[in-house]
Amino acid sequence: MSHYDYIIIGAGSAGCVLANRLSENPNHSVLLLEAGPSDKRFFVQMPIGYGKTFYQPKVNWMYTSMASDGLNGRTSYWPRGKTLGGSSSINAMVYVRGHKQDFDDWSNAGNKGWGYDEVLPYFKRMESWQHGEDAFRGGSGPLNVSDVSANLHPLCKHFVAAGEALGFTYNADMNGVKQEGVGYYQLTTHQGQRMSAARAYLKPARKRPNLTVVCESLVQRIVFEGKRAVAVEYEHNGSSHRAHGAKEICLSAGAVNSPQLLQLSGIGPGQVLKKAGVVPVHESPAVGQHLQDHIGHSYFYRANQPTLNQQLRPWWGKLWYGLRYVLTRTGPLSLSVNQAGGFVHTRAGLDRPNIQLYFSPLSYTKAPAGERPMMNPDPFPAYLMGVSNCRVKSEGQINITSGDANVAPNIEPNYLAHDEEIQDLLEGVKLIRQFAQTSQLQAITIDEMRPGADCLTDAQLIEDIRNNADTVYHPCGTCRMGPDPTQNVVDSALKVHGLEAIRVVDASIFPNLICGNINAATIMVAEKAADLILSEHELA
C-alpha cells in the first residue's frame, strides 16, 4: 500500500489547483488520481476542439439526466470532463467570475470567509489577465485569461451596438468593477491554445518529485477507520490498488462524481445507501441533494452576410483555417464560438442581473438534437442569440443506484420547477427579439429561423422553452457548504460534517449557483481551500 500526505481524487478544475498548491512544499507527498487519460490531445488543446470532445467518451463522462417535468419530460445530455483538467479541458472557455453579491450570499448563509471581499484576493491570485493587475484583476497568476475582442467575428459588434441601443451599458470587463452590461467574453486561452486547469496548474507541477499523478484510475471508494478517512481504493490497469492518506483526502471529482463517491463510500442519505446495497458509514442526508444548474435557450437568425458558417462549413475552409491554426495558432479555431454577450436585468426591482446573454456568429440548426458541431455548421449564413437564467431556485438530486463505481448515478435536475425561472426565460427570449428588431441587427438579418414568426403568445413562447431549452453545463450544490449538517455536506472549511481528514473541493460545495459560468469560481474555491488545508496542518 502506498502512503502519501495528501490524496486528491479528480484532476479537474479544482484538483489540479490543489495538486499544485499542496505540492509546493517539497516535504508534502501528494497523490492525484484521475479517472480519464492525459490531456495531450489535439482537440483538447485547440480551443474550438470542444465541438469534438463534446461527444468523445475517452475524455468525457457523457452522462444523461433523468427526465424533467419542467422540460416536458425531456432528458438532458451532460458532458463532463474525464481527462486531466476535467471540464476545463472540454468547456467553451468563457471566463466569468460571477456577481459579487453571489458570494455575499454564500457568506450570509453562514459560511464565514466566503464573502466577495474575502474571495476576491483568490480570484486575483489565480489569474494572469492580459491587461495586467489592478484593484480587481490579477496579473501574475497561473491561469491566463485573454481579451480576444480584437479577433472576434465582426458581426459581434452589431450585437453589442444593439445592446447599447436598447439602453444596456457597454462593459469592457465583466470581471472587473461590475458584471452588468453587454460586451465581449474573455477566454481561458493563451497563445491560441486552451488554458485548462491542467495546463495552468498541473503542467508546471508535474516535474516535482513529491507529486504523483496516476491517470485512468477509477476510485471505487474512500476507506474509513471510524469517522476518519484513511485510504482510497482505486482500479488502475485492470488491478485494484489502495493508497493511504496520512493528513487528508480531498474529493475534487465534480458535482456528479463527488456525491457519487461519498455515497459509494457509505456517506449519504441512509435510504439511498440502503437501496444501492452500500454499508452506511455516516448519515449525511444532503449528499447528492440541492443540485442546481442553469438553463439556456437560443434563437436562430438567417444573416444577409457571411458568418462563421461560411468559414468553417466548406472543405476548403476547414483546410485553410486548419492550416492557419497549425502554423500560427490564430484564426477562428483559436477561439470559442461564444463570443459576445452580457448580464442584464429584464425588469425593474432586481438587485442583480437575472439573464445572461450569448451571441454566436454561427448556427447549427441542421444538427441532430443536442449536438453542437462547431466545425460543421449550417451551409448558409446565420447566427444565434441565446439566454440563460442567472438566478436558480429549482433543486434536483444525484444518487447512486448501485455500489459499483462503474454504474453512473441517477441525475435528476428538476429543471424549471419554479415559475420565477420560467418568467425569467420568457422575458429573456422577448429580449432576444428586441435585440433582433434594432436597426443594428436588422442590418445583418434576413429572418428568424427558429422558433419563427408563428411563435408569438406567452403560452407559445413558454411551450417552446419547455420543448427546447436545456442545460448550459453548470451543475453544482450536491455537496453544499453550510453550517447545518442536516442540510449541508461540508462546513466553511470544506470539511465533511461529522467526519475527519476529508474535504470536498469543487463546484459541488457551492451554496447557491452563481450568476454566469462556473469554472472560474471553481478554481477560486480550490485556491482558497489550499490555504485552508495548509494553514491548518502547519498550525497542528
Side-chain angles (χ1 to χ4, degrees):
M1 182 170 66
S2 302
H3 292 259
Y4 300 87
D5 291 317
Y6 300 103
I7 299 175
I8 304 163
I9 303 170
S13 299
C16 288
V17 177
L18 289 178
N20 181 304
R21 297 305 190 191
L22 297 182
S23 65
E24 283 179 329
N25 185 333
N27 295 321
H28 299 158
S29 57
V30 180
L31 172 64
L32 177 63
L33 297 172
E34 168 54 43
S38 166
D39 62 333
K40 293 180 180 179
R41 295 165 179 269
F42 180 73
F43 287 115
V44 168
Q45 302 304 325
M46 181 180 74
I48 208 172
Y50 71 96
K52 293 284 189 180
T53 57
F54 195 71
Y55 276 99
Q56 278 188 349
K58 189 67 176 175
V59 296
N60 190 331
W61 288 100
M62 295 179 60
Y63 290 119
T64 299
S65 79
M66 308 291 283
S68 290
D69 291 342
L71 299 184
N72 283 345
R74 290 185 294 120
T75 61
S76 295
Y77 172 61
W78 278 35
R80 308 305 302 158
K82 187 184 180 184
T83 181
L84 295 180
S87 292
S88 75
S89 287
I90 69 167
N91 68 1
M93 297 156 292
V94 174
Y95 183 82
V96 172
R97 288 178 173 180
H99 195 278
K100 62 187 300 183
Q101 289 176 246
D102 295 332
F103 304 103
D104 289 338
D105 286 345
W106 290 15
S107 178
N108 293 335
N111 299 297
K112 184 179 179 181
W114 290 92
Y116 177 74
D117 289 341
E118 288 115 341
V119 303
L120 178 59
Y122 291 102
F123 277 120
K124 292 184 65 176
R125 183 171 85 175
M126 70 193 231
E127 72 178 13
S128 184
W129 169 227
Q130 181 175 326
H131 297 302
E133 183 173 2
D134 60 25
F136 295 92
R137 304 305 301 265
S140 57
L143 184 75
N144 289 91
V145 181
S146 296
D147 175 358
V148 294
S149 57
N151 305 316
L152 300 179
H153 195 281
L155 292 192
C156 294
K157 295 180 180 179
H158 289 262
F159 170 83
V160 172
E164 291 181 288
L166 291 173
F168 299 115
T169 303
Y170 170 68
N171 189 344
D173 184 4
M174 289 177 272
N175 296 302
V177 177
K178 65 175 183 177
Q179 186 186 53
E180 292 91 338
V182 294
Y184 306 104
Y185 284 126
Q186 299 161 15
L187 300 181
T188 47
T189 59
H190 183 56
Q191 297 178 341
Q193 289 187 291
R194 173 186 293 273
M195 180 53 70
S196 67
R199 185 180 173 203
Y201 285 90
L202 190 58
K203 184 178 179 180
R206 290 292 294 269
K207 62 181 178 292
R208 298 172 186 164
N210 61 323
L211 173 62
T212 302
V213 181
V214 185
C215 292
E216 298 185 279
S217 300
L218 182 65
V219 175
Q220 303 296 307
R221 70 183 184 109
I222 301 163
V223 180
F224 289 84
E225 290 182 358
K227 297 296 184 180
R228 183 179 180 84
V230 297
V232 169
E233 292 181 351
Y234 64 97
E235 290 184 355
H236 178 64
N237 288 336
S239 58
S240 297
H241 302 263
R242 177 180 282 206
H244 184 272
K247 292 184 176 180
E248 286 198 22
I249 292 170
C250 300
L251 183 50
S252 299
V256 176
N257 299 108
S258 282
Q260 177 196 25
L261 191 51
L262 283 177
Q263 291 177 2
L264 288 170
S265 306
I267 315 300
Q271 284 299 109
V272 171
L273 304 183
K274 182 179 179 180
K275 288 181 180 178
V278 173
V279 177
V281 171
H282 179 69
E283 174 74 17
S284 185
V287 173
Q289 312 309 299
H290 307 300
L291 169 65
Q292 291 188 324
D293 189 15
H294 289 131
I295 280 286
H297 191 39
S298 297
Y299 278 27
F300 294 83
Y301 292 86
R302 195 183 307 269
N304 60 19
Q305 54 188 278
T307 66
L308 280 178
N309 293 4
Q310 282 60 62
Q311 293 177 303
L312 301 180
R313 173 80 185 197
W315 68 265
W316 54 264
K318 291 180 174 65
L319 177 62
W320 170 253
Y321 290 107
L323 285 173
R324 177 179 173 181
Y325 179 77
V326 170
L327 295 175
T328 68
R329 294 291 188 263
T330 63
L333 305 192
S334 69
L335 302 168
S336 171
V337 299
N338 290 331
Q339 298 193 353
F343 296 89
V344 300
H345 305 73
T346 60
R347 58 183 178 272
L350 299 175
D351 64 353
R352 72 195 82 174
N354 65 323
I355 285 293
Q356 182 174 359
L357 298 168
Y358 308 84
F359 179 86
S360 296
L362 89 169
S363 66
Y364 32 83
T365 59
K366 295 184 178 297
E371 291 194 28
R372 297 190 175 186
M374 281 70 172
M375 292 294 292
N376 200 34
D378 290 329
F380 47 82
Y383 65 88
L384 71 85
M385 286 189 286
V387 294
S388 64
N389 53 349
C390 293
R391 303 288 288 164
V392 174
K393 291 186 176 180
S394 298
E395 292 187 351
Q397 57 185 340
I398 294 178
N399 293 313
I400 60 172
T401 60
S402 165
D404 184 353
N406 293 284
V407 177
N410 276 353
I411 301 171
E412 301 177 51
N414 194 31
Y415 288 130
L416 302 181
H418 281 258
D419 290 341
E420 185 176 323
E421 295 167 348
I422 284 290
Q423 183 65 26
D424 283 344
L425 289 177
L426 176 61
E427 293 175 3
V429 297
K430 288 181 177 180
L431 180 59
I432 287 178
R433 283 185 165 167
Q434 290 179 41
F435 268 81
Q437 290 303 312
T438 62
S439 60
Q440 291 79 6
L441 284 180
Q442 281 289 299
I444 65 169
T445 304
I446 296 174
D447 59 16
E448 179 183 291
M449 292 188 294
R450 185 185 296 176
D454 293 337
C455 190
L456 288 174
T457 68
D458 284 4
Q460 289 174 320
L461 294 172
I462 290 171
E463 189 67 7
D464 178 59
I465 290 168
R466 293 196 186 278
N467 285 334
N468 294 290
D470 213 340
T471 174
V472 287
Y473 323 113
H474 300 159
C476 68
T478 47
C479 296
R480 194 171 69 175
M481 173 172 60
D484 182 354
T486 67
Q487 297 295 320
N488 305 284
V489 178
V490 300
D491 63 16
S492 60
L494 307 187
K495 297 179 179 180
V496 178
H497 285 295
L499 298 175
E500 299 175 15
I502 180 170
R503 299 187 207 226
V504 182
V505 182
D506 55 34
S508 69
I509 66 93
F510 286 16
N512 53 266
L513 188 51
I514 64 171
C515 182
N517 310 66
I518 68 171
N519 189 247
T522 302
I523 293 173
M524 175 278 292
V525 164
E527 283 276 17
K528 183 173 172 64
D531 270 7
L532 291 170
I533 293 166
L534 293 172
S535 63
E536 178 175 323
H537 289 286
E538 286 171 2
L539 292 173

